[in-house]
Amino acid sequence: MTERPTTYVDIILPLPLNSLFTYSIPEPLTEAVKSGVRVIVPFGKQKMMVGLAVRIHDKEPEFKVKDITRVLDTTPIVTEDQLRMWNWIADYYMSPIGEVFNAALPAGLKAEDGFRPKTETYVTLPENLRHEQALHIAFGMLKRALAQLKTFNTYLTLSHWDTIVGDCTDEPVVEVTKDELINESHATAGVMKQLLDKKMLVTYEKEVGRLNCGGVPQLDNVKRLSAAQQEAYNNILFQFLKKNVVLLRGVTSSGKTEIYIHLIKQALERHEQVLYLLPEIALTVQIRQRLQKVFGDRLGIYHSKYSDAERVEIWKKQLSDSPYDVILGARSAVLLPFSKLGLVIIDEEHETSFKQQDPAPRYHARSVAIMLAHQHGAKTLLGSATPSAESWHNAETGKYGLVELDVRYKGIEMPEIKVVDVKDMQRRKMMYGPISPLLLETMKKALDNGEQVILFQNRRGFAPMVECRTCGWVPKCENCDVSLTFHKNMNMLTCHYCGFTYSVPKKCPNCEGEDLRPYGYGTEKIEEKIMELFPNVPVARMDLDTTRSRNAYERIINDFSAGRTKILIGTQMVSKGLDFDHVRVVGILNADSMLNVPDFRAYEHAFTMMSQVAGRAGRKGDRGLVILQTKDVEQPIIEQVVTNNWRAFYSQLMAERRLFHYPPFYRLIYVYLKHKDDDRVNTAAIEMGGRLRQWLGARVLGPDKPAVSKVRTFFIRKIMLKLEPGIDMKRVRQCLLLAQRQMEQDKRYSSLQIYYDVDPS
Ligand code: ADP
Ligand code: ZN
Ligand code: ZN
């Protein structure tokens, strides 16, 4: 046997580091190592890590390297296309490749033992309790155990056993997992155990992670397009002949989704794959139901509320010979492998949740999706009633094709929007807490008619603040520079930045005063107020706190859809894309909270959010009515929302953006510096700002303290870069990375962290 030169392999490890790691390949493994397979390597003193092989070569490194230990895959689990995309993301968003790897792969593929089919624990009523009388006896037994009774009752509500009279059926109407019940009822482990010990509830295991069977595809099950829709559809196809990206601006309820369905069908007929991106997991519930009717089991769903096992299965299926033809998902679905992608649809393209905030990579799924489409020679359709400034600009300048649809399906009128002057109402002491007399009146009328109501408040929790009425003291988080939100249900103060919880102080630590009061309205308090005003109307709340468990979205949305609940209260989750037939009235409780945000996009966000939530009203039948409550009726934006005059809004917005050098005319990069020591981060930021200014001049602004200048015990500073069109971005990135390296090598700034937010939104 002839001696072979040692071969080496460069590996991505899931670490926040910019470099690849080189290892040698022991002889017996030479055949097995390929680009895209996972390998196990020794790292540090004793640790083993799973990494991804990306490049095999025989260039001997200058330092001593170790052998890889094992190869986990026989075929690549990451395609060459994906690797190219990861590199693009790492480069463009200035994020270490290890973090891109971390974000892209489901956890099950990053762990050594891989994934096993997972089971989940469900709870149900034991057979002997499945009868109305038996249930009454059970209640009697729990009379003294209030926490258990509450949890038991929550179970009955969730499973809909409570709607059954007489003998119960064999199975609960809705299956409930143990986790979901614990989440919904805030039960402690002890309470749960007591209920199980007493045999009030029993558990059973069910394997999850079997991919959903969506049924037989019925491609002819598409709705017939209206004349206006057909014209838009034809126009989109026509634009695709010339442009790779087309923006469909269609008013809310114009039937954009139906047009997408027709386009997907057409792509499948060409044997191409489709990626359909949504900004919000809540939305996947309804859209899935609509798509499944047509595409059956050719449709796969992918988002972060899916179990890891399921995500691993979908990933592997997409690598197989029979991948899903249509993938419906939230942001992270752009990172899946695709083999024959033909069309990407980005619904509600203006939504900022397409941008990942924390942790890195801080990528914008819209930009990545357009890159992905480009990579595959596929087309991209952006859809929105209120396009982002960026996309609108691209459409106006002819970079993207533009198709407009200005009528609602069936010619239903856009909702009427009435403005309430909250300041005036408060002065005249006419407000019912957060509800104006007009809103109350309108709600009553709609409910009497058997119609439904959506109330929108962009704050979760009970009260955004607690305040000492004697001295004005406000409890703040110890780790972050923010006031704490009061959650009445849990009787806790929580920090929405670091998640820390605190008990509510009995006395003010500042003045010993005992009059501590919640201040302001969160969704939880609104819910309480509404239940007081409408004691007999079933109410549901949809916000981050009520949707922690896997099935919560589905239940809340299906209950509201079926009319089991009549009033839906929620945060921005209720503002996007949902389609309900019987919502007559939408209340926007506090428009000002969206406007008083220190961000150059605040107005754009407020306008789109208000227009979107208004768009939930009156989608079928009679004209919808929106009650918009504000303390500042004079602001021009209110008038623009009321008249649905987005053209006026955009031309003003664009003029301002152009004048003040903001996107879409200039690019922004935020540089963040983080350290546990406030003085140190301050000096570091000033120094780094100075260095950057030497190279990039007046494009560099700051440093400044961001609105929240301390998070999780780290003090933060922000430097802003405003970059004119045509600037050499490569050079800008090099300057930044060089400055970063110089700062990191400076001993005074040890453990300083520097990271970037490119194209912040
Ligand atoms: P958008 O996505 O523009 O907000 P949707 O696609 O959700 O609008 O359409 C609004 C409602 O009208 C939905 O309930 C949808 O099923 C219905 N609809 C739209 N177009 C058609 C059509 N061509 N045939 C039947 N129903 C339609
Ligand atoms: Zn006080
Ligand atoms: Zn905190």
Side-chain angles (χ1 to χ4, degrees):
M1 219 159 117
T2 52
E3 178 101 353
R4 284 216 263 171
T6 320
T7 47
Y8 300 92
V9 55
D10 294 341
I11 288 172
I12 304 176
L13 289 176
L15 300 169
L17 294 169
N18 251 325
S19 48
L20 299 177
F21 294 81
T22 305
Y23 286 82
S24 43
I25 308 176
E27 172 73 50
L29 295 183
T30 18
E31 292 297 309
V33 181
K34 302 182 247 270
S35 170
V37 298
R38 291 171 304 154
V39 292
I40 295 185
V41 296
F43 190 80
K45 286 242 157 53
Q46 273 160 19
K47 235 165 123 187
M48 288 297 193
M49 266 187 155
V50 176
L52 191 81
V54 292
R55 203 168 71 90
I56 295 145
H57 57 92
D58 48 20
K59 186 166 166 280
E60 190 177 347
E62 286 160 18
F63 43 90
K64 199 168 156 350
V65 296
K66 294 181 186 158
D67 272 352
I68 59 170
T69 311
R70 249 174 74 200
V71 178
L72 289 179
D73 305 300
T74 48
T75 52
I77 59 144
V78 176
T79 64
E80 290 298 315
D81 278 342
Q82 281 179 296
L83 282 175
R84 265 199 301 282
M85 179 61 84
W86 290 8
N87 279 320
W88 182 79
I89 292 174
D91 190 48
Y92 186 85
Y93 292 102
M94 306 193 64
S95 162
I97 186 81
E99 299 199 284
V100 181
F101 170 68
N102 243 340
L105 275 198
L109 290 175
K110 283 177 298 199
E112 196 178 329
D113 52 0
F115 94 105
R116 294 186 199 93
K118 262 193 11 202
T119 59
E120 202 159 4
T121 307
Y122 284 74
V123 286
T124 186
L125 277 183
E127 305 249 329
N128 61 341
L129 288 187
R130 295 181 183 189
H131 189 279
E132 221 182 322
Q133 271 163 355
L135 277 180
H136 277 295
I137 298 171
F139 286 138
M141 288 169 65
L142 291 178
K143 218 166 49 196
R144 275 158 221 277
L146 281 183
Q148 291 172 47
L149 184 63
K150 183 177 162 215
T151 303
F152 189 67
N153 264 326
T154 307
Y155 170 72
L156 295 179
T157 316
L158 292 178
S159 63
H160 292 299
W161 280 117
D162 61 343
T163 58
I164 288 163
V165 215
D167 253 339
C168 302
T169 45
D170 291 340
E171 293 306 325
V173 185
V174 177
E175 287 186 290
V176 180
T177 68
K178 191 173 156 191
D179 285 347
E180 192 181 358
L181 178 56
I182 289 175
N183 263 318
E184 292 287 319
S185 64
H186 301 286
T188 59
V191 167
M192 201 63 222
K193 184 169 181 303
Q194 281 158 339
L195 281 172
L196 294 172
D197 287 350
K198 285 186 187 162
K199 297 264 176 338
M200 295 290 177
L201 292 175
V202 291
T203 63
Y204 60 98
E205 300 289 315
K206 198 168 141 177
E207 195 170 295
V208 292
R210 292 283 130 254
L211 295 180
N212 68 312
C213 31
V216 183
Q218 290 180 302
L219 291 196
D220 290 330
N221 217 353
V222 292
K223 301 205 161 106
R224 232 190 122 90
L225 295 181
S226 69
Q229 291 168 343
Q230 186 66 45
E231 195 189 321
Y233 171 85
N234 293 344
N235 202 349
I236 291 167
L237 291 181
F238 179 69
Q239 299 275 334
F240 273 154
L241 296 176
K242 298 172 290 186
K243 312 271 169 153
N244 288 325
V245 184
V246 170
L247 171 65
L248 169 61
R249 192 193 67 76
V251 294
T252 53
S253 205
S254 54
K256 295 184 288 298
T257 315
E258 300 303 331
I259 296 176
Y260 304 154
I261 292 172
H262 280 256
L263 289 166
I264 298 171
K265 178 183 167 193
Q266 200 227 22
L268 297 202
E269 283 162 0
R270 291 193 308 261
H271 306 286
E272 291 172 349
Q273 284 177 311
V274 178
L275 168 62
Y276 188 145
L277 284 180
L278 287 166
E280 177 79 59
I281 295 170
L283 268 178
T284 59
V285 174
Q286 286 193 332
I287 304 286
R288 182 187 81 202
Q289 288 163 357
R290 286 169 77 173
L291 295 186
Q292 237 160 24
K293 287 191 191 132
V294 182
F295 305 111
D297 61 8
R298 297 176 74 175
L299 171 74
I301 326 278
Y302 192 81
H303 60 65
S304 60
K305 285 272 162 162
Y306 271 56
S307 73
D308 197 58
E310 275 165 310
R311 279 191 279 166
V312 172
E313 285 192 36
I314 293 179
W315 187 287
K316 292 195 163 166
K317 187 172 162 68
Q318 293 318 90
L319 288 169
S320 75
D321 296 336
S322 55
Y324 285 119
D325 296 312
V326 188
I327 290 282
L328 174 67
R331 194 171 58 217
S332 59
V334 308
L335 299 169
L336 277 171
F338 290 92
S339 44
K340 42 179 182 167
L341 188 66
L343 176 66
V344 177
I345 294 166
I346 306 175
D347 198 8
E348 314 291 353
E349 65 85 27
H350 61 277
E351 279 292 338
T352 48
S353 41
F354 280 125
K355 181 84 194 306
Q356 163 134 331
Q357 297 300 346
D358 264 313
R362 294 174 180 79
Y363 65 98
H364 201 306
R366 185 180 61 218
S367 306
V368 175
I370 291 172
M371 277 305 287
L372 177 77
H374 182 71
Q375 196 175 46
H376 287 259
K379 301 290 179 184
T380 305
L381 181 65
L382 309 174
S384 176
T386 49
S388 63
E390 280 77 3
S391 300
W392 183 245
H393 179 67
N394 282 330
E396 271 193 321
T397 55
K399 186 173 170 201
Y400 296 169
L402 175 65
V403 175
E404 302 193 74
L405 187 55
D406 267 314
V407 285
R408 283 188 147 184
Y409 177 61
K410 288 227 163 129
I412 285 173
E413 274 186 281
M414 295 303 286
E416 182 188 359
I417 304 181
K418 291 187 180 167
V419 180
V420 174
D421 183 344
V422 173
K423 227 183 200 162
D424 179 49
M425 288 289 135
Q426 277 173 342
R427 206 164 28 228
R428 302 195 326 211
K429 304 234 182 302
M430 287 176 69
M431 293 291 286
Y432 300 85
I435 312 286
S436 60
L438 178 63
L439 179 55
L440 187 71
E441 186 70 15
T442 317
M443 286 174 73
K444 274 194 181 137
K445 227 184 254 165
L447 293 167
D448 285 347
N449 276 334
E451 297 165 334
Q452 292 171 303
V453 175
I454 291 180
L455 297 180
F456 169 67
Q457 171 75 334
N458 210 18
R459 272 265 166 77
R460 68 188 169 95
F462 188 80
M465 260 199 321
V466 171
E467 192 187 46
C468 167
R469 296 304 276 248
T470 322
C471 77
W473 173 81
V474 171
K476 287 195 152 190
C477 179
E478 284 167 19
N479 307 322
C480 314
D481 181 26
V482 289
S483 51
L484 298 170
T485 302
F486 178 49
H487 288 253
K488 193 173 181 186
N489 203 333
M490 300 184 283
N491 194 27
M492 284 285 187
L493 296 170
T494 70
C495 170
H496 285 180
Y497 277 80
C498 70
F500 231 69
T501 56
Y502 301 79
S503 54
V504 184
K506 298 238 163 8
K507 275 189 203 163
C508 168
N510 192 33
C511 75
E512 307 252 303
E514 290 183 10
D515 191 6
L516 296 171
R517 282 195 220 165
Y519 191 78
Y521 286 93
T523 42
E524 196 187 335
K525 189 164 175 186
I526 306 247
E527 185 185 24
E528 191 182 274
K529 190 74 199 174
I530 290 297
M531 295 206 272
E532 197 182 300
L533 292 168
F534 298 94
N536 301 315
V537 180
V539 177
R541 167 159 66 95
M542 188 158 81
D543 55 31
L544 206 63
D545 299 307
T546 62
T547 53
R548 292 195 196 276
S549 64
R550 185 187 153 79
N551 303 320
Y553 291 104
E554 198 147 350
R555 205 189 48 247
I556 295 171
I557 289 170
N558 288 345
D559 279 355
F560 193 65
S561 228
R564 286 190 285 272
T565 49
K566 296 290 181 191
I567 303 175
L568 179 63
I569 299 160
T571 53
Q572 33 82 29
M573 275 184 201
V574 301
S575 74
K576 326 177 170 172
L578 292 168
D579 180 39
F580 298 111
D581 289 356
H582 305 290
V583 175
R584 183 70 43 230
V585 174
V586 163
I588 299 173
L589 298 183
N590 180 358
D592 314 307
S593 68
M594 290 174 267
L595 292 164
N596 303 331
V597 180
D599 183 82
F600 75 94
R601 284 190 207 272
Y603 269 64
E604 186 187 355
H605 291 168
F607 180 83
T608 54
M609 229 188 294
M610 286 191 266
S611 309
Q612 289 290 336
V613 70
R616 303 311 114 212
R619 292 170 72 88
K620 297 272 164 73
D622 295 339
R623 189 176 184 196
L625 184 57
V626 178
I627 308 295
L628 198 169
Q629 303 188 156
T630 172
K631 285 188 177 169
D632 190 358
V633 285
E634 300 292 316
Q635 319 175 65
I637 191 174
I638 298 292
E639 168 75 17
Q640 287 155 351
V641 171
V642 169
T643 53
N644 193 25
N645 194 350
W646 69 275
R647 261 177 214 282
F649 174 78
Y650 273 81
S651 66
Q652 189 186 337
L653 184 79
M654 292 296 186
E656 280 169 16
R657 294 280 182 87
R658 190 191 293 271
L659 183 64
F660 296 110
H661 294 181
Y662 277 107
F665 303 100
Y666 276 60
R667 266 167 205 273
L668 297 186
I669 298 181
Y670 293 162
V671 183
Y672 287 100
L673 296 93
K674 253 167 67 167
H675 200 282
K676 294 220 173 193
D677 185 307
D678 197 14
D679 288 339
R680 196 116 5 137
V681 77
N682 201 35
T683 348
I686 292 170
E687 187 168 328
M688 181 153 175
R691 268 173 212 227
L692 291 174
R693 216 164 270 125
Q694 272 176 12
W695 300 324
L696 298 168
R699 299 177 185 95
V700 182
L701 294 118
D704 287 304
K705 276 192 180 182
V708 176
S709 64
K710 184 188 172 199
V711 172
R712 294 172 200 267
T713 73
F714 283 91
F715 293 90
I716 307 172
R717 290 294 183 281
K718 174 173 143 187
I719 297 170
M720 176 158 75
L721 265 58
K722 282 187 176 174
L723 305 165
E724 73 273 16
I727 193 174
D728 180 355
M729 283 303 290
K730 205 169 148 195
R731 181 174 160 260
V732 172
R733 283 193 283 265
Q734 276 168 354
C735 289
L736 285 168
L737 293 174
L738 180 61
Q740 176 179 358
R741 214 169 314 129
Q742 288 173 346
M743 299 300 293
E744 281 167 353
Q745 281 162 0
D746 191 326
K747 289 206 179 55
R748 287 174 300 159
Y749 304 129
S750 67
S751 61
L752 174 73
Q753 292 176 37
I754 298 174
Y755 59 91
Y756 306 93
D757 190 358
V758 178
D759 300 344
S761 68

